[in-house]
Amino acid sequence: MSEQNLSGKDFVAAWRDAAADLEVNHAYDPAHEHDACGVGLVAAIDGKPRRQVVEAGIEALKALWHRGAVDADGKTGDGAGIHVQIPQDFFKEHIRNTGHEPGQRRLAVGMIFLPRTDYDAQERCRSIVESEILNYGHALYGWRQVPTNNRVIGDKANATRPEIEQVMIANNRQVPDPQFELDLYIIRRRIEKQIEAAGIKDFYICSLSCRSVIYKGLFLAEQLTAFYPDLLDERYVSSFAVYHQRYSTNTFPTWSLAQPFRVIAHNGEINTLRGNRNWMTAHEPRMESEKLGDQIADVLPVVPRGASDSAALDSVFELMVRASDRNLPMVQSLLIPDSWEKRDAMPEAHRALFNYCSSVMESWDGPAAVCGFGGRWVVAGMDRNGLRPLRYTITGDGLLIVGSETGMVRVDEGAVVEKGRVGPGEAIAVDLRVGRLYHNDELRDVLAESRPFADWLSNSRDLDDIIAPEHDEPVELSRDELRQRQVQYAWSLEELELILQPMVEDAKEPTGSMGDDTPLAVLSDKYRGPHHFFRQNFAQVTNPPIDSLRETAVMTLTTRLGNAGNILSEDESQGDFLQLDSPVLTNAEFHALRNFLGDTVVEIDCTFDPNDSEHTLSQALDSIRQQAEDAVRGGAVHLVLSDYHCGPGRAPVPMVQSLLIPDSWEKRDAMP
């Protein structure tokens, strides 16, 4: 695609056509996007808003310019932004200038990207925004055109630039600020669903809040205040500033994907993104919230379609902060927990805290440094592998400065009280309401004491506890049957001698050359099972790949059954589960598991008659899916998919294909 002789409008059309062609041809898929960036926050430890915090946040962001990419035009970046408190006096004065009196209550502000070139869509978006706000019982002060200096950004950024406006909202229901914030969350999700249903593109709500506002865009970090002169106003004061410089790897930068997002700013890649998205979908039917009530349907699905890995994580953070009784540090511990199983020196209260977190939901694994604001708290945290740096400085005048690098804000060394780093699995936080700084151990102490986690976990069971010591390993296959099964699953003598035997004898993985020099399945006279063609997705930026044996200090294969409950609640039922040290079970372990789970299990035969032309593999898959759905609807909690009955007249459905069955995969906790 050539850019020569293209106007801005023509360039946008050509760029979108090229992106569409790439997507059709599978060279580009938005689901594969991930990034590695610069992130940080500045907070007033006493919790009082001050201009110094905003200025320090802007200075720190500009110091991270080298962590973002720059286009050939020298002005278009991958995205940068800042998240600060709403300066109430600033917006109330604007409202007074329009002839209205804003009153004493806190007003809310929505920072909104609108379609710039489609005026009909623009008006439709404004109409939807206004109607949803009014229908919920709140009132509007009006819209504000956000002042921008479009000359400082690059041609490509300008070509895709949205119309940027702010909507100002009155708390007409006169509810407390936390409820007002929850109302705005529901309103925003309703707006987004209506916009999606209308098929309108290029609409995005950066923030809709009575507490904070986000200024971001597809520009360089140094252009933030030049593009948004609002931030130069002395009335822009805040007790915190979360900032982010994006570096997109293998992605198309867009205005909406610039960070910070509504709760967090994230530096890293979510390695388990597809699995976590699926798990969130599985959790949704069980979600209940006293705060949301029947309105929980308005905020589902939790992860919007097309969200990047960082945006998906932010969506879960937002739900957990808004719709449950957990504060931001607890949500951060839940989603990005520290490693605890191999940490004998960790205090027992902290071990119980993270054990509980592991029992509630799946962690969002991957190299990550996260900074966020959740209403009362600001938090900076690190993933348990420590693969993204976070440094902090505490000054004598009460500022906490955290970021991907040290020295982002120029501070007189004589005024520095403390310097350090946020270590793997650690966090540092400020309670803005109380005005107190918490280092990692202090923060974990507060969280661990908030609930009787150790008592709740006393209901858990370990698989070893339900296996009788005298229980012999049942022998279910003769020597010939075992060999037949090995041939059936394409095990070769080479694999047995060169891979499995050294692992059994020496407890070591054999070392060999990389690559697969075997023929393609279509050209080979040997059977290649479907499992040969499935590969684990992982973050390409992180090198080398990590496995659970080499990184046993921070990784685990522990599997839990019976804990798929309501992730928005906090109660002792979440500690009632059965724990398996590994998803790979021996025969004795599997039979003990089946007996323990009792009537909650339904076993589905995954074999079919290959000689029956009326029962093909495709029909066998349909049958398995239907049986699974019927079992779950009939009250089954666990499903076992078994190919045990395979033999001369029964061919097994490849288990990889069985695992990909849609509609009924959520409850397959008991699958060996």
Side-chain angles (χ1 to χ4, degrees), residues 51-253:
R51 177 63 187 167
Q52 181 188 11
V53 170
V54 178
E55 292 175 343
I58 294 169
E59 180 184 348
L61 177 60
K62 291 181 177 181
L64 292 176
W65 62 269
H66 60 285
R67 283 184 168 265
V70 183
D71 191 81
D73 62 14
K75 291 184 177 181
T76 299
D78 281 354
I82 193 168
H83 185 183
V84 295
Q85 274 182 294
I86 295 173
Q88 295 286 323
D89 293 342
F90 177 89
F91 285 98
K92 287 183 177 181
E93 181 173 333
H94 174 79
I95 292 170
R96 292 189 186 97
N97 291 337
T98 63
H100 298 86
E101 178 52 48
Q104 298 299 315
R105 297 190 69 89
R106 183 187 295 269
L107 60 84
V109 175
M111 184 77 165
I112 301 178
F113 291 165
L114 297 165
R116 184 164 60 92
T117 57
D118 188 338
Y119 298 109
D120 290 338
Q122 242 184 66
E123 286 304 313
R124 176 69 176 140
C125 289
R126 292 191 188 96
S127 176
I128 291 173
V129 170
E130 292 175 3
S131 63
E132 288 298 335
I133 293 170
L134 295 173
N135 289 341
Y136 208 90
H138 295 294
L140 286 95
Y141 290 120
W143 292 80
R144 174 178 182 260
Q145 187 82 28
V146 179
T148 59
N149 182 1
N150 303 325
R151 292 175 303 209
V152 302
I153 61 176
D155 293 338
K156 292 184 180 179
N158 205 25
T160 58
R161 174 176 53 86
E163 189 74 15
I164 306 173
E165 297 185 8
Q166 290 169 334
V167 60
M168 295 166 289
I169 306 167
N171 183 356
N172 219 38
R173 297 179 61 204
Q174 298 186 356
V175 294
D177 289 345
Q179 182 61 48
F180 192 18
E181 192 76 359
L182 183 63
D183 291 353
L184 294 167
Y185 172 49
I186 298 170
I187 290 169
R188 195 200 83 233
R189 293 295 288 129
R190 288 180 174 180
I191 293 170
E192 290 169 342
K193 288 184 177 182
Q194 280 216 47
I195 296 292
E196 182 179 4
I200 300 174
K201 307 295 183 184
D202 301 325
F203 174 89
Y204 179 77
I205 301 177
C206 301
S207 58
L208 184 64
S209 170
C210 66
R211 292 168 170 160
S212 60
V213 62
I214 296 171
Y215 285 80
K216 67 179 184 178
L218 202 61
F219 41 72
L220 306 179
E222 63 190 42
Q223 299 167 338
L224 174 67
T225 52
F227 184 76
Y228 287 122
D230 275 358
L231 296 170
L232 296 174
D233 195 295
E234 291 297 322
R235 291 168 296 178
Y236 250 81
V237 297
S238 178
S239 61
F240 77 93
V242 177
Y243 53 88
H244 189 278
Q245 166 66 68
R246 187 168 189 245
Y247 182 87
S248 313
T249 50
N250 305 318
T251 65
F252 287 113

Side-chain angles (χ1 to χ4, degrees), residues 338-360:
D338 194 2
S339 58
W340 59 273
E341 288 186 307
K342 309 293 184 181
R343 299 268 298 279
D344 295 335
M346 178 181 285
E348 285 301 320
H350 295 188
R351 291 173 60 84
L353 166 67
F354 289 112
N355 192 356
Y356 164 79
C357 290
S358 299
S359 72
V360 175

Side-chain angles (χ1 to χ4, degrees), residues 463-622:
L463 181 59
D464 291 340
D465 297 336
I466 64 174
I467 300 178
E470 67 278 3
H471 197 330
D472 294 329
E473 188 79 10
V475 179
E476 299 185 357
L477 298 175
S478 67
R479 189 181 188 90
D480 290 340
E481 289 174 324
L482 178 59
R483 177 173 297 180
Q484 192 176 54
R485 300 265 175 152
Q486 291 171 343
V487 172
Q488 175 181 310
Y489 292 104
W491 281 36
S492 66
L493 190 61
E494 180 182 23
E495 289 173 318
L496 293 173
E497 291 183 347
L498 299 182
I499 298 178
L500 291 179
Q501 184 173 335
M503 293 176 71
V504 173
E505 291 182 347
D506 303 326
K508 294 181 180 179
E509 185 177 0
T511 303
S513 62
M514 297 178 65
D516 184 355
D517 58 357
T518 54
L520 296 174
V522 70
L523 302 177
S524 176
D525 58 357
K526 304 293 184 183
Y527 170 69
R528 298 291 299 273
H531 58 282
H532 286 189
F533 304 96
F534 285 81
R535 300 289 185 269
Q536 173 66 43
N537 290 328
F538 66 95
Q540 300 292 329
V541 175
T542 304
N543 189 39
I546 302 172
D547 71 61
S548 61
L549 298 179
R550 293 189 181 92
E551 303 292 337
T552 184
V554 293
M555 297 192 71
T556 179
L557 293 178
T558 298
T559 302
R560 299 184 174 194
L561 306 180
N563 61 322
N566 178 19
I567 62 174
L568 299 180
S569 67
E570 279 187 299
D571 57 64
E572 60 183 348
S573 67
Q574 294 167 321
D576 186 5
F577 56 82
L578 178 65
Q579 180 166 295
L580 285 61
D581 292 334
S582 169
V584 180
L585 303 180
T586 65
N587 290 334
E589 290 171 333
F590 177 68
H591 284 284
L593 175 66
R594 286 291 314 275
N595 293 334
F596 178 79
L597 297 176
D599 295 336
T600 64
V601 179
V602 169
E603 182 171 329
I604 298 175
D605 181 15
C606 294
T607 65
F608 68 103
D609 185 353
N611 300 315
D612 188 347
S613 60
E614 295 183 0
H615 293 86
T616 62
L617 175 60
S618 176
Q619 291 170 321
L621 285 169
D622 290 340

Side-chain angles (χ1 to χ4, degrees), residues 363-479:
S363 61
W364 287 66
D365 282 324
V370 170
C371 295
F373 166 71
R376 172 175 174 174
W377 291 83
V378 288
V379 174
M382 176 85 73
D383 75 292
R384 61 181 178 271
N385 292 284
L387 297 178
R388 293 292 180 268
L390 273 183
R391 305 281 181 174
Y392 71 86
T393 300
I394 301 172
T395 66
D397 56 354
L399 285 187
L400 169 67
I401 304 168
V402 187
S404 298
E405 300 174 7
T406 190
M408 297 170 300
V409 178
R410 294 184 180 181
V411 177
D412 182 359
E413 288 298 317
V416 174
V417 175
E418 181 184 345
K419 282 186 177 181
R421 70 185 182 97
V422 180
E426 295 183 352
I428 190 169
V430 175
D431 184 340
L432 297 173
R433 183 184 301 174
V434 176
R436 179 179 172 183
L437 170 71
Y438 290 87
H439 288 80
N440 181 70
D441 288 346
E442 298 171 311
L443 184 63
R444 305 310 187 195
D445 285 341
V446 171
L447 299 179
E449 293 169 1
S450 64
R451 299 286 190 272
F453 296 123
D455 293 340
W456 291 357
L457 293 167
S458 63
N459 296 324
S460 65
R461 303 285 297 276
D462 193 277
L463 181 59
D464 291 340
D465 297 336
I466 64 174
I467 300 178
E470 67 278 3
H471 197 330
D472 294 329
E473 188 79 10
V475 179
E476 299 185 357
L477 298 175
S478 67
R479 189 181 188 90

